[in-house]
Amino acid sequence: MSRLEARELIIDVPGRRDGRALDLSLEPGQVWGVLGPNGAGKTTLLHTLAGLRAPRRGVVCLDGESLAALPRRRIARALGLIFQERQDGFPATVRETALIGRHPWLSPWQMEGGEDLQLAEAALKRLDVAHLAERLVNTLSGGERQRLAIATVLTQAPDIWLADEPTNHLDLHHQTATMALLTEQARTGRAVMLCLHDLNLAARWCDQVLLLYPDGEMCWGPRDAMLVPSALERLYGQRLVTAEVDGAPVFVPVR
Amino acid sequence: MHVARYSMAAVGRRGLVFPLGVLALAALAALVLSVAIGSVTVTPAELWRVTLGGGDALSRTLVLELRVPRALSAFATGGLLALAGALMQVLLRNPLADPYVLGLSGGAAVGALAAMLAGLGSLVISGSAFVGALASTLLVFGLAQGTGSWTPARLLLTGVVVASGWGAVVTLMLAVSPAERLPGMLYWLMGDLSYARTPGLPLVLLLGVCLLVFPLGRSLNVLARGALQAVALGVAVRPLEWMIYITASLLTAAAVSTAGSIGFVGLVVPHMLRLVLGNDQRLILPACALAGGTLLMLADTLARTLIAPEQLPVGVITALLGVPTFLYLLYRSR
């Protein structure tokens, strides 16, 4: 299983001082939750870890090699990314969209084969969108598109999942199903990092948490050490009440 | 509206053969038609004899030296334009882009008209149009690059503004040119195949680029979904975008220097094909080459027969066919 590491990493958010450098390794089996207010740099952090943006300082390494030195194809075989925004200028069907997840695995002259198609179909079924396979993507609802994006990464089958608000637009049932899918990925030895806005999802499903403050400060560690009401109140500038439900803490903002 | 679309991903490589086979047959039929029809009709029997190396001298000259080169030039030009249009649409992630959207035809027009004003021969006119087209490409790219990196939106805006600049220069040149040169200039601006007699180079270019872009087809499919998504799926986006830009410009420059600026083929053909065949570039790009070529051969046949013995500029025919088709497609789409 591949391993992603940030060494002395400072993400490049224009006009912000450096803050604390990030030194962490995404170990197989871990589920990381990244929490922070709007504009704190969660997406920037995720894109930097995926090698889509250059860091201000430091390096991101995949299996010990700097991302900047690796071919994109090699990275795409190990690392999958669920984007917050999607662009579909041209019409494509749901099945075609899931199938592009196979791109890093196929040589230029190779066409998608039966096995690729099976992987895509299985992923669509897993995300509950198999019945939409022939539909054009631009006719789907927001939640269906989100599930399709997750199905595309499932088809890609990377060792490391980086997901930017994967539960966006999802109803309660599909939020739970998605978090269950991601933690299942971790149980089978993959590493998962999620940007989340929902503290309670993080409390329930993540085992590691990274708090990202708007001034560039950050702290990270095991969930229980991080999800402390005083730290979260400072993070969001919002008073919280805490209760315990179903064995996990639940944070509710005070009116 | 739910359109049953042809999904190539689901049918594999065999899925290429049927649609491309149909289009190739259509191209062949259009070639036969455009060689047979004209001021003197060549009967199918006579055409067959000429093909086998027989027939009378007049038919041989008519078919082999006049009509076949012109029809093949039309095919090559139409194919180049449609292919360039499809590539530009992927590059700019904008289904409304066409080969001229980045000001390329304007640059070519200024080059060609300058050569015509100077009274130079047709070979120089072609060369000058080619140079003008490439100069415009470099200008637009350099300006869009600016101090940072370019985005599709910025490239598009730069291209549109540069194109209107060229438009003004063309109008100025028309205004100052002597009256006897005007018809030739206007015909060039509308696209005209009557001097196109050497289809060899454009045909080779068309075939070569089709073979070159086929293995890149899947990367282009991914790129059509946005640059970041493409990078995340392992596509080296910047080199690929450079390659598309240079290739599409070269194709358009070759087309424009063969036959002037013929409109609508590059915009409408990829659109129509996408409606029927879906948006897999491995199928759409060769299909564009075939369908664009067929369309222009037919349009050129109309152009030289409608008001025979006078000839119409072929660009008028493609625009007259293209505008209503395109408006219809827009009207139908949501």
Side-chain angles (χ1 to χ4, degrees):
Chain A
M1 287 289 164
S2 292
R3 191 170 304 226
L4 195 69
E5 253 181 292
R7 294 181 192 158
E8 299 287 314
L9 186 76
I10 290 168
I11 59 173
D12 192 21
V13 177
R16 189 163 89 178
R17 62 192 189 81
D18 287 358
R20 184 173 167 195
L22 180 69
D23 261 299
L24 71 76
S25 168
L26 246 63
E27 300 292 335
Q30 286 182 335
V31 180
W32 280 84
V34 179
L35 298 173
N38 296 143
K42 298 187 294 294
T43 299
T44 306
L45 172 66
L46 219 58
H47 287 191
T48 308
L49 287 175
L52 299 183
R53 319 171 47 113
R56 191 180 290 170
R57 258 189 282 292
V59 281
V60 180
C61 292
L62 180 66
D63 295 328
E65 284 184 83
S66 165
L67 281 188
L70 287 170
R72 278 312 316 183
R73 203 166 123 92
R74 158 85 181 82
I75 299 171
R77 287 180 172 192
L79 192 154
L81 194 60
I82 299 169
F83 288 92
Q84 201 182 138
E85 281 163 10
R86 278 167 292 281
Q87 182 178 353
D88 20 49
F90 297 97
T93 64
V94 168
R95 182 183 286 114
E96 286 167 343
T97 305
L99 262 177
I100 63 165
R102 298 312 293 162
H103 184 73
W105 299 97
L106 299 169
S107 76
W109 287 97
Q110 216 175 346
M111 304 279 282
E112 297 88 343
E115 203 176 308
D116 302 308
L117 207 57
Q118 271 172 18
L119 279 170
E121 300 285 356
L124 291 177
K125 197 172 281 173
R126 185 74 169 78
L127 270 301
D128 226 357
V129 281
H131 60 291
L132 305 170
E134 297 299 327
R135 281 265 295 273
L136 292 180
V137 173
N138 51 8
T139 67
L140 301 184
S141 77
E144 288 165 339
R145 274 194 205 201
Q146 181 69 25
R147 271 140 64 199
L148 174 58
I150 300 167
T152 305
V153 177
L154 191 59
T155 312
Q156 186 183 350
D159 286 350
I160 300 154
W161 286 60
L162 302 178
D164 201 351
E165 300 186 27
T167 54
N168 255 2
H169 307 296
L170 296 185
D171 59 53
L172 271 183
H173 165 64
H174 285 112
Q175 285 187 14
T176 311
T178 296
M179 294 306 287
L181 168 74
L182 292 170
T183 44
E184 178 196 297
Q185 293 294 318
R187 261 204 313 282
T188 55
R190 299 186 168 86
V192 179
M193 184 179 255
L194 320 163
C195 294
L196 290 171
H197 272 305
D198 188 333
L199 282 176
N200 299 317
L201 284 178
R204 206 161 173 154
W205 298 95
C206 299
D207 45 50
Q208 307 287 323
V209 167
L210 191 156
L211 303 182
L212 201 55
Y213 291 87
D215 59 359
E217 286 306 316
M218 52 176 99
C219 54
W220 60 91
R223 173 191 58 202
D224 295 337
M226 288 295 118
L227 295 184
V228 191
S230 58
L232 295 175
E233 286 181 342
R234 187 168 84 79
L235 183 68
Y236 291 107
Q238 167 68 47
R239 293 210 19 243
L240 299 167
V241 285
T242 314
E244 195 177 298
V245 178
D246 206 6
V250 173
F251 302 92
V252 182
V254 174
R255 278 221 286 185
Chain B
M1 181 188 73
H2 182 84
V3 188
R5 285 161 81 256
Y6 186 86
S7 176
M8 203 183 76
V11 287
R13 200 184 292 270
R14 276 176 301 128
L16 287 172
V17 177
F18 178 69
L20 292 184
V22 169
L23 287 172
L25 283 179
L28 196 65
L31 177 66
V32 170
L33 194 71
S34 66
V35 171
I37 294 178
S39 51
V40 179
T41 305
V42 181
T43 62
E46 182 67 11
L47 194 58
W48 184 244
R49 279 195 292 279
V50 172
T51 314
L52 293 180
D56 62 71
L58 182 65
S59 300
R60 286 187 66 79
T61 313
L62 189 66
V63 169
L64 296 180
E65 281 171 36
L66 293 174
R67 287 192 190 162
V68 167
R70 178 160 174 169
L72 288 180
S73 295
F75 179 81
T77 309
L80 290 172
L81 286 174
L83 192 54
L87 287 174
M88 282 291 184
Q89 291 169 2
V90 174
L91 175 72
L92 300 171
R93 259 82 80 190
N94 188 333
L96 295 183
D98 80 352
Y100 306 139
V101 73
L102 298 183
L104 210 140
S105 71
V110 170
L113 296 197
M116 287 180 183
L117 264 181
L120 299 167
S122 67
L123 203 64
V124 183
I125 294 172
S126 287
S128 175
F130 193 81
V131 170
L134 290 190
S136 180
T137 301
L138 290 177
L139 180 69
V140 169
F141 204 83
L143 288 174
Q145 182 94 16
T147 49
S149 61
W150 56 273
T151 60
R154 188 172 165 147
L155 193 59
L156 192 58
L157 197 57
T158 311
V160 169
V161 173
V162 169
S164 46
W166 289 126
V169 178
V170 166
T171 311
L172 182 72
M173 289 172 108
L174 288 176
V176 299
S177 62
E180 72 274 10
R181 295 245 160 83
L182 273 179
M185 291 176 151
L186 288 175
Y187 266 59
W188 193 95
L189 286 175
M190 287 181 279
D192 183 21
L193 280 155
S194 32
Y195 297 101
R197 287 285 175 274
T198 47
L201 204 60
L203 276 178
V204 169
L205 186 65
L206 184 62
L207 184 70
V209 170
C210 278
L211 290 177
L212 173 77
V213 293
F214 184 80
L216 293 175
R218 215 181 50 243
S219 295
L220 294 174
N221 288 343
V222 181
L223 183 61
R225 290 157 200 270
L228 275 185
Q229 173 77 78
V231 176
L233 283 168
V235 177
V237 165
R238 252 318 117 94
L240 183 65
E241 286 184 327
W242 270 101
M243 212 274 318
I244 306 176
Y245 187 53
I246 293 168
T247 309
S249 304
L250 205 63
L251 295 179
T252 312
V256 169
S257 45
T258 306
S261 44
I262 296 169
F264 287 96
V265 178
L267 176 65
V268 169
V269 170
H271 254 287
M272 289 195 294
L273 290 174
R274 279 202 193 97
L275 278 185
V276 187
L277 299 177
N279 193 28
D280 192 320
Q281 310 305 322
R282 291 168 290 185
L283 175 59
I284 285 297
L285 295 176
C288 276
L290 287 168
T294 306
L295 180 71
L296 199 58
M297 270 199 293
L298 293 175
D300 185 51
T301 309
L302 282 177
R304 59 190 175 76
T305 51
L306 273 184
I307 54 160
E310 295 300 314
Q311 299 199 2
L312 285 168
V314 68
V316 172
I317 308 283
T318 56
L320 285 179
L321 293 174
V323 171
T325 315
F326 192 66
L327 290 177
Y328 175 72
L329 290 179
L330 273 185
Y331 176 74
R332 278 270 307 267
S333 67
R334 281 148 303 164

